[in-house]
Amino acid sequence: NFSDNPPVSGWQQQFMPFLNNMPLADITFLDSLTGYAVTGTDTGVPDTNYILKTTNSGYNWNVILSRVYSFRKVIFLNLDTGYASNIEVILRTTNAGVSWENILVPPDYIGIFDIFPVSYDTMWITLQNFGLDYIYRTTNAGLNWTRQIQGNSFDKLYFFNNRIGFVGSPLVNVFLKTTNSGINWTPISGNGFKELYFTDSLTGWNARGSMKKTID
């Protein structure tokens, strides 16, 4: 709220184009210049939302796609290949956002919670179906999906690489880890997560109400 509280030194307010009052849902940067953002709400009311891109550190943003989707996440593997998702679809670009295509998703689902691509071929998703949550993985770019585990409150995903990954919830105390590509999942100490990030296989940060750090 910089308009009422002037920023401390080092922060500058940046401005989006007119987005029909749609709030930002997620943002990601690939380097110091190139970033993407998506808008979306979970009100259940269909409305136009947007994928935006900046190439000058966020000083200017351009709408590169508008759809009647409520986007939840945007994530890129490299400067060319990225993904955007909402509760129903996963979109993929391989040309830096110039065009987007739908990825096939498992048919037996009600809503997609989260996605996490590890490579062009391998992606993990969490989805809900009749009160249970499932984790699925594809190793052929979405042509086929394999169910890994089912349970409750599998809302968020984070994978450091194809073997080491985590699933959790920002709402309840669910926090699981795999070290063998989802064959086995082990509960770990913690209280779930809303955001998770690792700089190597040992060092990571977990945000859910407070910030925590692990070195093991």
Side-chain angles (χ1 to χ4, degrees), residues 102-136:
N102 280 44
I103 296 178
L104 295 175
V105 296
D108 56 339
Y109 78 97
I110 295 176
I112 299 169
F113 285 135
D114 200 8
I115 66 171
F116 204 97
V118 179
S119 65
Y120 179 83
D121 293 320
T122 302
M123 176 188 285
W124 300 79
I125 66 172
T126 59
L127 53 84
Q128 187 181 65
N129 185 17
F130 298 108
L132 286 175
D133 300 335
Y134 299 91
I135 303 175
Y136 278 81

PDB file of all heavy atoms in Angstrom, residues 102-136:
ATOM      1  N   ASN A 102      -3.106 -25.746 -24.805  1.00  0.00           N
ATOM      2  CA  ASN A 102      -3.617 -26.526 -23.677  1.00  0.00           C
ATOM      3  C   ASN A 102      -2.857 -27.827 -23.550  1.00  0.00           C
ATOM      4  O   ASN A 102      -2.551 -28.489 -24.554  1.00  0.00           O
ATOM      5  CB  ASN A 102      -5.098 -26.827 -23.862  1.00  0.00           C
ATOM      6  CG  ASN A 102      -5.976 -25.662 -23.478  1.00  0.00           C
ATOM      7  OD1 ASN A 102      -5.677 -24.525 -23.827  1.00  0.00           O
ATOM      8  ND2 ASN A 102      -7.042 -25.935 -22.761  1.00  0.00           N
ATOM      9  N   ILE A 103      -2.572 -28.223 -22.300  1.00  0.00           N
ATOM     10  CA  ILE A 103      -1.995 -29.527 -22.004  1.00  0.00           C
ATOM     11  C   ILE A 103      -3.107 -30.446 -21.524  1.00  0.00           C
ATOM     12  O   ILE A 103      -3.968 -30.053 -20.735  1.00  0.00           O
ATOM     13  CB  ILE A 103      -0.910 -29.419 -20.918  1.00  0.00           C
ATOM     14  CG1 ILE A 103       0.253 -28.585 -21.424  1.00  0.00           C
ATOM     15  CG2 ILE A 103      -0.425 -30.786 -20.488  1.00  0.00           C
ATOM     16  CD1 ILE A 103       1.341 -28.402 -20.391  1.00  0.00           C
ATOM     17  N   LEU A 104      -3.096 -31.689 -21.988  1.00  0.00           N
ATOM     18  CA  LEU A 104      -4.057 -32.668 -21.505  1.00  0.00           C
ATOM     19  C   LEU A 104      -3.832 -32.922 -20.018  1.00  0.00           C
ATOM     20  O   LEU A 104      -2.693 -33.048 -19.565  1.00  0.00           O
ATOM     21  CB  LEU A 104      -3.924 -33.975 -22.285  1.00  0.00           C
ATOM     22  CG  LEU A 104      -4.260 -33.927 -23.777  1.00  0.00           C
ATOM     23  CD1 LEU A 104      -3.960 -35.274 -24.427  1.00  0.00           C
ATOM     24  CD2 LEU A 104      -5.715 -33.554 -23.976  1.00  0.00           C
ATOM     25  N   VAL A 105      -4.921 -33.010 -19.262  1.00  0.00           N
ATOM     26  CA  VAL A 105      -4.840 -33.295 -17.831  1.00  0.00           C
ATOM     27  C   VAL A 105      -5.651 -34.548 -17.540  1.00  0.00           C
ATOM     28  O   VAL A 105      -6.475 -34.971 -18.358  1.00  0.00           O
ATOM     29  CB  VAL A 105      -5.366 -32.105 -16.993  1.00  0.00           C
ATOM     30  CG1 VAL A 105      -4.483 -30.884 -17.195  1.00  0.00           C
ATOM     31  CG2 VAL A 105      -6.798 -31.779 -17.353  1.00  0.00           C
ATOM     32  N   PRO A 106      -5.430 -35.208 -16.384  1.00  0.00           N
ATOM     33  CA  PRO A 106      -6.210 -36.402 -16.062  1.00  0.00           C
ATOM     34  C   PRO A 106      -7.706 -36.118 -16.111  1.00  0.00           C
ATOM     35  O   PRO A 106      -8.157 -35.056 -15.653  1.00  0.00           O
ATOM     36  CB  PRO A 106      -5.749 -36.745 -14.642  1.00  0.00           C
ATOM     37  CG  PRO A 106      -4.390 -36.174 -14.544  1.00  0.00           C
ATOM     38  CD  PRO A 106      -4.418 -34.914 -15.365  1.00  0.00           C
ATOM     39  N   PRO A 107      -8.507 -37.033 -16.646  1.00  0.00           N
ATOM     40  CA  PRO A 107      -9.938 -36.757 -16.822  1.00  0.00           C
ATOM     41  C   PRO A 107     -10.750 -36.823 -15.537  1.00  0.00           C
ATOM     42  O   PRO A 107     -11.815 -36.218 -15.459  1.00  0.00           O
ATOM     43  CB  PRO A 107     -10.377 -37.855 -17.794  1.00  0.00           C
ATOM     44  CG  PRO A 107      -9.424 -38.982 -17.542  1.00  0.00           C
ATOM     45  CD  PRO A 107      -8.117 -38.331 -17.208  1.00  0.00           C
ATOM     46  N   ASP A 108     -10.271 -37.541 -14.526  1.00  0.00           N
ATOM     47  CA  ASP A 108     -11.083 -37.777 -13.318  1.00  0.00           C
ATOM     48  C   ASP A 108     -10.753 -36.763 -12.225  1.00  0.00           C
ATOM     49  O   ASP A 108     -10.221 -37.104 -11.183  1.00  0.00           O
ATOM     50  CB  ASP A 108     -10.882 -39.200 -12.801  1.00  0.00           C
ATOM     51  CG  ASP A 108      -9.419 -39.515 -12.527  1.00  0.00           C
ATOM     52  OD1 ASP A 108      -8.550 -38.823 -13.094  1.00  0.00           O
ATOM     53  OD2 ASP A 108      -9.156 -40.441 -11.741  1.00  0.00           O
ATOM     54  N   TYR A 109     -11.072 -35.504 -12.487  1.00  0.00           N
ATOM     55  CA  TYR A 109     -10.765 -34.494 -11.499  1.00  0.00           C
ATOM     56  C   TYR A 109     -11.867 -33.450 -11.458  1.00  0.00           C
ATOM     57  O   TYR A 109     -12.664 -33.314 -12.386  1.00  0.00           O
ATOM     58  CB  TYR A 109      -9.428 -33.815 -11.805  1.00  0.00           C
ATOM     59  CG  TYR A 109      -9.505 -32.775 -12.905  1.00  0.00           C
ATOM     60  CD1 TYR A 109      -9.632 -31.427 -12.599  1.00  0.00           C
ATOM     61  CD2 TYR A 109      -9.465 -33.149 -14.240  1.00  0.00           C
ATOM     62  CE1 TYR A 109      -9.713 -30.467 -13.596  1.00  0.00           C
ATOM     63  CE2 TYR A 109      -9.550 -32.200 -15.242  1.00  0.00           C
ATOM     64  CZ  TYR A 109      -9.679 -30.863 -14.915  1.00  0.00           C
ATOM     65  OH  TYR A 109      -9.763 -29.930 -15.904  1.00  0.00           O
ATOM     66  N   ILE A 110     -11.919 -32.715 -10.344  1.00  0.00           N
ATOM     67  CA  ILE A 110     -12.837 -31.592 -10.202  1.00  0.00           C
ATOM     68  C   ILE A 110     -12.087 -30.269 -10.330  1.00  0.00           C
ATOM     69  O   ILE A 110     -12.547 -29.358 -11.001  1.00  0.00           O
ATOM     70  CB  ILE A 110     -13.574 -31.662  -8.850  1.00  0.00           C
ATOM     71  CG1 ILE A 110     -14.476 -32.901  -8.814  1.00  0.00           C
ATOM     72  CG2 ILE A 110     -14.395 -30.401  -8.612  1.00  0.00           C
ATOM     73  CD1 ILE A 110     -15.167 -33.107  -7.483  1.00  0.00           C
ATOM     74  N   GLY A 111     -10.936 -30.163  -9.678  1.00  0.00           N
ATOM     75  CA  GLY A 111     -10.197 -28.908  -9.744  1.00  0.00           C
ATOM     76  C   GLY A 111      -8.708 -29.115  -9.586  1.00  0.00           C
ATOM     77  O   GLY A 111      -8.264 -29.967  -8.809  1.00  0.00           O
ATOM     78  N   ILE A 112      -7.912 -28.347 -10.361  1.00  0.00           N
ATOM     79  CA  ILE A 112      -6.457 -28.379 -10.262  1.00  0.00           C
ATOM     80  C   ILE A 112      -6.029 -27.392  -9.189  1.00  0.00           C
ATOM     81  O   ILE A 112      -6.385 -26.212  -9.241  1.00  0.00           O
ATOM     82  CB  ILE A 112      -5.815 -28.012 -11.607  1.00  0.00           C
ATOM     83  CG1 ILE A 112      -6.231 -29.010 -12.687  1.00  0.00           C
ATOM     84  CG2 ILE A 112      -4.298 -27.957 -11.478  1.00  0.00           C
ATOM     85  CD1 ILE A 112      -5.847 -28.577 -14.084  1.00  0.00           C
ATOM     86  N   PHE A 113      -5.258 -27.873  -8.211  1.00  0.00           N
ATOM     87  CA  PHE A 113      -4.759 -26.998  -7.157  1.00  0.00           C
ATOM     88  C   PHE A 113      -3.435 -26.339  -7.547  1.00  0.00           C
ATOM     89  O   PHE A 113      -3.266 -25.143  -7.444  1.00  0.00           O
ATOM     90  CB  PHE A 113      -4.575 -27.784  -5.860  1.00  0.00           C
ATOM     91  CG  PHE A 113      -5.858 -28.113  -5.159  1.00  0.00           C
ATOM     92  CD1 PHE A 113      -6.075 -29.381  -4.657  1.00  0.00           C
ATOM     93  CD2 PHE A 113      -6.856 -27.175  -5.011  1.00  0.00           C
ATOM     94  CE1 PHE A 113      -7.259 -29.700  -4.010  1.00  0.00           C
ATOM     95  CE2 PHE A 113      -8.040 -27.475  -4.372  1.00  0.00           C
ATOM     96  CZ  PHE A 113      -8.241 -28.745  -3.868  1.00  0.00           C
ATOM     97  N   ASP A 114      -2.460 -27.154  -7.968  1.00  0.00           N
ATOM     98  CA  ASP A 114      -1.126 -26.618  -8.195  1.00  0.00           C
ATOM     99  C   ASP A 114      -0.438 -27.435  -9.277  1.00  0.00           C
ATOM    100  O   ASP A 114      -0.796 -28.591  -9.534  1.00  0.00           O
ATOM    101  CB  ASP A 114      -0.308 -26.666  -6.899  1.00  0.00           C
ATOM    102  CG  ASP A 114       0.889 -25.710  -6.919  1.00  0.00           C
ATOM    103  OD1 ASP A 114       0.993 -24.903  -7.864  1.00  0.00           O
ATOM    104  OD2 ASP A 114       1.715 -25.776  -6.005  1.00  0.00           O
ATOM    105  N   ILE A 115       0.559 -26.820  -9.915  1.00  0.00           N
ATOM    106  CA  ILE A 115       1.381 -27.493 -10.918  1.00  0.00           C
ATOM    107  C   ILE A 115       2.842 -27.206 -10.614  1.00  0.00           C
ATOM    108  O   ILE A 115       3.173 -26.177 -10.037  1.00  0.00           O
ATOM    109  CB  ILE A 115       1.041 -27.036 -12.348  1.00  0.00           C
ATOM    110  CG1 ILE A 115       1.400 -25.557 -12.550  1.00  0.00           C
ATOM    111  CG2 ILE A 115      -0.444 -27.262 -12.646  1.00  0.00           C
ATOM    112  CD1 ILE A 115       1.303 -25.097 -13.986  1.00  0.00           C
ATOM    113  N   PHE A 116       3.704 -28.151 -11.001  1.00  0.00           N
ATOM    114  CA  PHE A 116       5.140 -27.891 -10.872  1.00  0.00           C
ATOM    115  C   PHE A 116       5.877 -28.673 -11.950  1.00  0.00           C
ATOM    116  O   PHE A 116       6.122 -29.864 -11.819  1.00  0.00           O
ATOM    117  CB  PHE A 116       5.674 -28.273  -9.495  1.00  0.00           C
ATOM    118  CG  PHE A 116       6.922 -27.513  -9.138  1.00  0.00           C
ATOM    119  CD1 PHE A 116       6.850 -26.373  -8.353  1.00  0.00           C
ATOM    120  CD2 PHE A 116       8.152 -27.906  -9.635  1.00  0.00           C
ATOM    121  CE1 PHE A 116       7.991 -25.644  -8.059  1.00  0.00           C
ATOM    122  CE2 PHE A 116       9.295 -27.186  -9.350  1.00  0.00           C
ATOM    123  CZ  PHE A 116       9.224 -26.044  -8.557  1.00  0.00           C
ATOM    124  N   PRO A 117       6.264 -28.002 -13.048  1.00  0.00           N
ATOM    125  CA  PRO A 117       7.068 -28.668 -14.072  1.00  0.00           C
ATOM    126  C   PRO A 117       8.524 -28.750 -13.642  1.00  0.00           C
ATOM    127  O   PRO A 117       9.067 -27.809 -13.074  1.00  0.00           O
ATOM    128  CB  PRO A 117       6.902 -27.757 -15.285  1.00  0.00           C
ATOM    129  CG  PRO A 117       6.655 -26.400 -14.698  1.00  0.00           C
ATOM    130  CD  PRO A 117       5.892 -26.629 -13.419  1.00  0.00           C
ATOM    131  N   VAL A 118       9.133 -29.896 -13.908  1.00  0.00           N
ATOM    132  CA  VAL A 118      10.559 -30.088 -13.640  1.00  0.00           C
ATOM    133  C   VAL A 118      11.361 -29.981 -14.922  1.00  0.00           C
ATOM    134  O   VAL A 118      12.496 -29.520 -14.925  1.00  0.00           O
ATOM    135  CB  VAL A 118      10.793 -31.449 -12.956  1.00  0.00           C
ATOM    136  CG1 VAL A 118      12.266 -31.689 -12.688  1.00  0.00           C
ATOM    137  CG2 VAL A 118      10.005 -31.544 -11.661  1.00  0.00           C
ATOM    138  N   SER A 119      10.759 -30.420 -16.022  1.00  0.00           N
ATOM    139  CA  SER A 119      11.361 -30.311 -17.344  1.00  0.00           C
ATOM    140  C   SER A 119      10.222 -30.231 -18.349  1.00  0.00           C
ATOM    141  O   SER A 119       9.043 -30.276 -17.973  1.00  0.00           O
ATOM    142  CB  SER A 119      12.256 -31.518 -17.639  1.00  0.00           C
ATOM    143  OG  SER A 119      11.473 -32.705 -17.699  1.00  0.00           O
ATOM    144  N   TYR A 120      10.556 -30.147 -19.615  1.00  0.00           N
ATOM    145  CA  TYR A 120       9.508 -30.100 -20.629  1.00  0.00           C
ATOM    146  C   TYR A 120       8.647 -31.358 -20.565  1.00  0.00           C
ATOM    147  O   TYR A 120       7.423 -31.295 -20.737  1.00  0.00           O
ATOM    148  CB  TYR A 120      10.113 -29.954 -22.017  1.00  0.00           C
ATOM    149  CG  TYR A 120       9.071 -29.920 -23.120  1.00  0.00           C
ATOM    150  CD1 TYR A 120       8.413 -28.741 -23.456  1.00  0.00           C
ATOM    151  CD2 TYR A 120       8.741 -31.085 -23.816  1.00  0.00           C
ATOM    152  CE1 TYR A 120       7.447 -28.700 -24.448  1.00  0.00           C
ATOM    153  CE2 TYR A 120       7.771 -31.054 -24.812  1.00  0.00           C
ATOM    154  CZ  TYR A 120       7.130 -29.872 -25.117  1.00  0.00           C
ATOM    155  OH  TYR A 120       6.167 -29.857 -26.096  1.00  0.00           O
ATOM    156  N   ASP A 121       9.262 -32.501 -20.308  1.00  0.00           N
ATOM    157  CA  ASP A 121       8.522 -33.763 -20.291  1.00  0.00           C
ATOM    158  C   ASP A 121       7.849 -34.046 -18.953  1.00  0.00           C
ATOM    159  O   ASP A 121       6.772 -34.633 -18.908  1.00  0.00           O
ATOM    160  CB  ASP A 121       9.459 -34.929 -20.630  1.00  0.00           C
ATOM    161  CG  ASP A 121       9.943 -34.871 -22.065  1.00  0.00           C
ATOM    162  OD1 ASP A 121       9.127 -34.533 -22.944  1.00  0.00           O
ATOM    163  OD2 ASP A 121      11.129 -35.148 -22.304  1.00  0.00           O
ATOM    164  N   THR A 122       8.472 -33.656 -17.854  1.00  0.00           N
ATOM    165  CA  THR A 122       8.027 -34.080 -16.528  1.00  0.00           C
ATOM    166  C   THR A 122       7.349 -32.943 -15.781  1.00  0.00           C
ATOM    167  O   THR A 122       7.934 -31.868 -15.606  1.00  0.00           O
ATOM    168  CB  THR A 122       9.210 -34.605 -15.697  1.00  0.00           C
ATOM    169  OG1 THR A 122       9.830 -35.693 -16.404  1.00  0.00           O
ATOM    170  CG2 THR A 122       8.735 -35.100 -14.341  1.00  0.00           C
ATOM    171  N   MET A 123       6.123 -33.205 -15.334  1.00  0.00           N
ATOM    172  CA  MET A 123       5.371 -32.230 -14.551  1.00  0.00           C
ATOM    173  C   MET A 123       4.568 -32.961 -13.487  1.00  0.00           C
ATOM    174  O   MET A 123       4.092 -34.077 -13.692  1.00  0.00           O
ATOM    175  CB  MET A 123       4.424 -31.420 -15.429  1.00  0.00           C
ATOM    176  CG  MET A 123       3.536 -30.442 -14.641  1.00  0.00           C
ATOM    177  SD  MET A 123       2.263 -29.662 -15.647  1.00  0.00           S
ATOM    178  CE  MET A 123       3.272 -28.501 -16.539  1.00  0.00           C
ATOM    179  N   TRP A 124       4.426 -32.297 -12.338  1.00  0.00           N
ATOM    180  CA  TRP A 124       3.595 -32.775 -11.247  1.00  0.00           C
ATOM    181  C   TRP A 124       2.401 -31.857 -11.089  1.00  0.00           C
ATOM    182  O   TRP A 124       2.518 -30.645 -11.270  1.00  0.00           O
ATOM    183  CB  TRP A 124       4.387 -32.786  -9.943  1.00  0.00           C
ATOM    184  CG  TRP A 124       5.603 -33.655  -9.981  1.00  0.00           C
ATOM    185  CD1 TRP A 124       6.807 -33.359 -10.543  1.00  0.00           C
ATOM    186  CD2 TRP A 124       5.736 -34.956  -9.414  1.00  0.00           C
ATOM    187  NE1 TRP A 124       7.689 -34.395 -10.371  1.00  0.00           N
ATOM    188  CE2 TRP A 124       7.056 -35.390  -9.677  1.00  0.00           C
ATOM    189  CE3 TRP A 124       4.871 -35.796  -8.714  1.00  0.00           C
ATOM    190  CZ2 TRP A 124       7.526 -36.618  -9.270  1.00  0.00           C
ATOM    191  CZ3 TRP A 124       5.345 -37.025  -8.298  1.00  0.00           C
ATOM    192  CH2 TRP A 124       6.646 -37.435  -8.580  1.00  0.00           C
ATOM    193  N   ILE A 125       1.239 -32.432 -10.752  1.00  0.00           N
ATOM    194  CA  ILE A 125       0.070 -31.611 -10.460  1.00  0.00           C
ATOM    195  C   ILE A 125      -0.657 -32.196  -9.255  1.00  0.00           C
ATOM    196  O   ILE A 125      -0.565 -33.389  -8.972  1.00  0.00           O
ATOM    197  CB  ILE A 125      -0.905 -31.501 -11.659  1.00  0.00           C
ATOM    198  CG1 ILE A 125      -1.537 -32.862 -11.972  1.00  0.00           C
ATOM    199  CG2 ILE A 125      -0.216 -30.923 -12.874  1.00  0.00           C
ATOM    200  CD1 ILE A 125      -2.631 -32.770 -13.016  1.00  0.00           C
ATOM    201  N   THR A 126      -1.348 -31.352  -8.529  1.00  0.00           N
ATOM    202  CA  THR A 126      -2.271 -31.802  -7.493  1.00  0.00           C
ATOM    203  C   THR A 126      -3.681 -31.411  -7.928  1.00  0.00           C
ATOM    204  O   THR A 126      -3.896 -30.328  -8.466  1.00  0.00           O
ATOM    205  CB  THR A 126      -1.959 -31.157  -6.130  1.00  0.00           C
ATOM    206  OG1 THR A 126      -2.052 -29.732  -6.251  1.00  0.00           O
ATOM    207  CG2 THR A 126      -0.586 -31.538  -5.644  1.00  0.00           C
ATOM    208  N   LEU A 127      -4.614 -32.316  -7.710  1.00  0.00           N
ATOM    209  CA  LEU A 127      -5.986 -32.057  -8.105  1.00  0.00           C
ATOM    210  C   LEU A 127      -6.947 -32.744  -7.138  1.00  0.00           C
ATOM    211  O   LEU A 127      -6.567 -33.619  -6.357  1.00  0.00           O
ATOM    212  CB  LEU A 127      -6.245 -32.498  -9.542  1.00  0.00           C
ATOM    213  CG  LEU A 127      -5.885 -33.930  -9.947  1.00  0.00           C
ATOM    214  CD1 LEU A 127      -6.994 -34.898  -9.603  1.00  0.00           C
ATOM    215  CD2 LEU A 127      -5.596 -33.977 -11.445  1.00  0.00           C
ATOM    216  N   GLN A 128      -8.198 -32.325  -7.204  1.00  0.00           N
ATOM    217  CA  GLN A 128      -9.224 -32.843  -6.302  1.00  0.00           C
ATOM    218  C   GLN A 128     -10.267 -33.615  -7.087  1.00  0.00           C
ATOM    219  O   GLN A 128     -10.583 -33.274  -8.226  1.00  0.00           O
ATOM    220  CB  GLN A 128      -9.908 -31.710  -5.550  1.00  0.00           C
ATOM    221  CG  GLN A 128     -10.876 -32.192  -4.465  1.00  0.00           C
ATOM    222  CD  GLN A 128     -11.563 -31.046  -3.760  1.00  0.00           C
ATOM    223  OE1 GLN A 128     -12.333 -30.314  -4.355  1.00  0.00           O
ATOM    224  NE2 GLN A 128     -11.262 -30.886  -2.482  1.00  0.00           N
ATOM    225  N   ASN A 129     -10.781 -34.669  -6.447  1.00  0.00           N
ATOM    226  CA  ASN A 129     -11.846 -35.462  -7.047  1.00  0.00           C
ATOM    227  C   ASN A 129     -12.683 -36.076  -5.936  1.00  0.00           C
ATOM    228  O   ASN A 129     -12.218 -36.933  -5.201  1.00  0.00           O
ATOM    229  CB  ASN A 129     -11.275 -36.560  -7.943  1.00  0.00           C
ATOM    230  CG  ASN A 129     -12.366 -37.320  -8.680  1.00  0.00           C
ATOM    231  OD1 ASN A 129     -13.502 -36.855  -8.772  1.00  0.00           O
ATOM    232  ND2 ASN A 129     -12.027 -38.480  -9.194  1.00  0.00           N
ATOM    233  N   PHE A 130     -13.916 -35.574  -5.775  1.00  0.00           N
ATOM    234  CA  PHE A 130     -14.879 -36.117  -4.813  1.00  0.00           C
ATOM    235  C   PHE A 130     -14.316 -36.203  -3.398  1.00  0.00           C
ATOM    236  O   PHE A 130     -14.343 -37.251  -2.748  1.00  0.00           O
ATOM    237  CB  PHE A 130     -15.378 -37.486  -5.278  1.00  0.00           C
ATOM    238  CG  PHE A 130     -16.095 -37.432  -6.595  1.00  0.00           C
ATOM    239  CD1 PHE A 130     -15.506 -37.945  -7.740  1.00  0.00           C
ATOM    240  CD2 PHE A 130     -17.345 -36.836  -6.695  1.00  0.00           C
ATOM    241  CE1 PHE A 130     -16.163 -37.881  -8.959  1.00  0.00           C
ATOM    242  CE2 PHE A 130     -18.010 -36.772  -7.911  1.00  0.00           C
ATOM    243  CZ  PHE A 130     -17.411 -37.295  -9.050  1.00  0.00           C
ATOM    244  N   GLY A 131     -13.759 -35.103  -2.936  1.00  0.00           N
ATOM    245  CA  GLY A 131     -13.316 -35.001  -1.556  1.00  0.00           C
ATOM    246  C   GLY A 131     -11.917 -35.484  -1.267  1.00  0.00           C
ATOM    247  O   GLY A 131     -11.417 -35.288  -0.155  1.00  0.00           O
ATOM    248  N   LEU A 132     -11.235 -36.103  -2.208  1.00  0.00           N
ATOM    249  CA  LEU A 132      -9.860 -36.534  -2.026  1.00  0.00           C
ATOM    250  C   LEU A 132      -8.943 -35.735  -2.934  1.00  0.00           C
ATOM    251  O   LEU A 132      -9.342 -35.273  -4.004  1.00  0.00           O
ATOM    252  CB  LEU A 132      -9.706 -38.028  -2.331  1.00  0.00           C
ATOM    253  CG  LEU A 132     -10.269 -39.000  -1.290  1.00  0.00           C
ATOM    254  CD1 LEU A 132     -10.136 -40.437  -1.802  1.00  0.00           C
ATOM    255  CD2 LEU A 132      -9.550 -38.853   0.049  1.00  0.00           C
ATOM    256  N   ASP A 133      -7.706 -35.580  -2.500  1.00  0.00           N
ATOM    257  CA  ASP A 133      -6.692 -34.897  -3.291  1.00  0.00           C
ATOM    258  C   ASP A 133      -5.712 -35.924  -3.837  1.00  0.00           C
ATOM    259  O   ASP A 133      -5.369 -36.899  -3.155  1.00  0.00           O
ATOM    260  CB  ASP A 133      -5.948 -33.869  -2.445  1.00  0.00           C
ATOM    261  CG  ASP A 133      -6.877 -32.805  -1.896  1.00  0.00           C
ATOM    262  OD1 ASP A 133      -7.939 -32.577  -2.501  1.00  0.00           O
ATOM    263  OD2 ASP A 133      -6.540 -32.198  -0.869  1.00  0.00           O
ATOM    264  N   TYR A 134      -5.241 -35.690  -5.052  1.00  0.00           N
ATOM    265  CA  TYR A 134      -4.341 -36.624  -5.719  1.00  0.00           C
ATOM    266  C   TYR A 134      -3.131 -35.885  -6.256  1.00  0.00           C
ATOM    267  O   TYR A 134      -3.220 -34.721  -6.653  1.00  0.00           O
ATOM    268  CB  TYR A 134      -5.053 -37.319  -6.877  1.00  0.00           C
ATOM    269  CG  TYR A 134      -6.259 -38.132  -6.475  1.00  0.00           C
ATOM    270  CD1 TYR A 134      -7.519 -37.561  -6.450  1.00  0.00           C
ATOM    271  CD2 TYR A 134      -6.137 -39.471  -6.116  1.00  0.00           C
ATOM    272  CE1 TYR A 134      -8.636 -38.290  -6.081  1.00  0.00           C
ATOM    273  CE2 TYR A 134      -7.243 -40.221  -5.749  1.00  0.00           C
ATOM    274  CZ  TYR A 134      -8.490 -39.628  -5.729  1.00  0.00           C
ATOM    275  OH  TYR A 134      -9.595 -40.351  -5.352  1.00  0.00           O
ATOM    276  N   ILE A 135      -2.015 -36.598  -6.301  1.00  0.00           N
ATOM    277  CA  ILE A 135      -0.817 -36.116  -6.969  1.00  0.00           C
ATOM    278  C   ILE A 135      -0.597 -36.977  -8.202  1.00  0.00           C
ATOM    279  O   ILE A 135      -0.587 -38.206  -8.115  1.00  0.00           O
ATOM    280  CB  ILE A 135       0.416 -36.188  -6.049  1.00  0.00           C
ATOM    281  CG1 ILE A 135       0.177 -35.402  -4.758  1.00  0.00           C
ATOM    282  CG2 ILE A 135       1.643 -35.641  -6.771  1.00  0.00           C
ATOM    283  CD1 ILE A 135       1.309 -35.548  -3.761  1.00  0.00           C
ATOM    284  N   TYR A 136      -0.456 -36.315  -9.340  1.00  0.00           N
ATOM    285  CA  TYR A 136      -0.193 -36.999 -10.600  1.00  0.00           C
ATOM    286  C   TYR A 136       1.129 -36.525 -11.173  1.00  0.00           C
ATOM    287  O   TYR A 136       1.569 -35.393 -10.917  1.00  0.00           O
ATOM    288  CB  TYR A 136      -1.297 -36.700 -11.619  1.00  0.00           C
ATOM    289  CG  TYR A 136      -2.544 -37.539 -11.489  1.00  0.00           C
ATOM    290  CD1 TYR A 136      -3.514 -37.228 -10.548  1.00  0.00           C
ATOM    291  CD2 TYR A 136      -2.775 -38.627 -12.318  1.00  0.00           C
ATOM    292  CE1 TYR A 136      -4.679 -37.977 -10.430  1.00  0.00           C
ATOM    293  CE2 TYR A 136      -3.928 -39.385 -12.224  1.00  0.00           C
ATOM    294  CZ  TYR A 136      -4.880 -39.051 -11.282  1.00  0.00           C
ATOM    295  OH  TYR A 136      -6.021 -39.800 -11.174  1.00  0.00           O
TER     296      TYR A 136
END
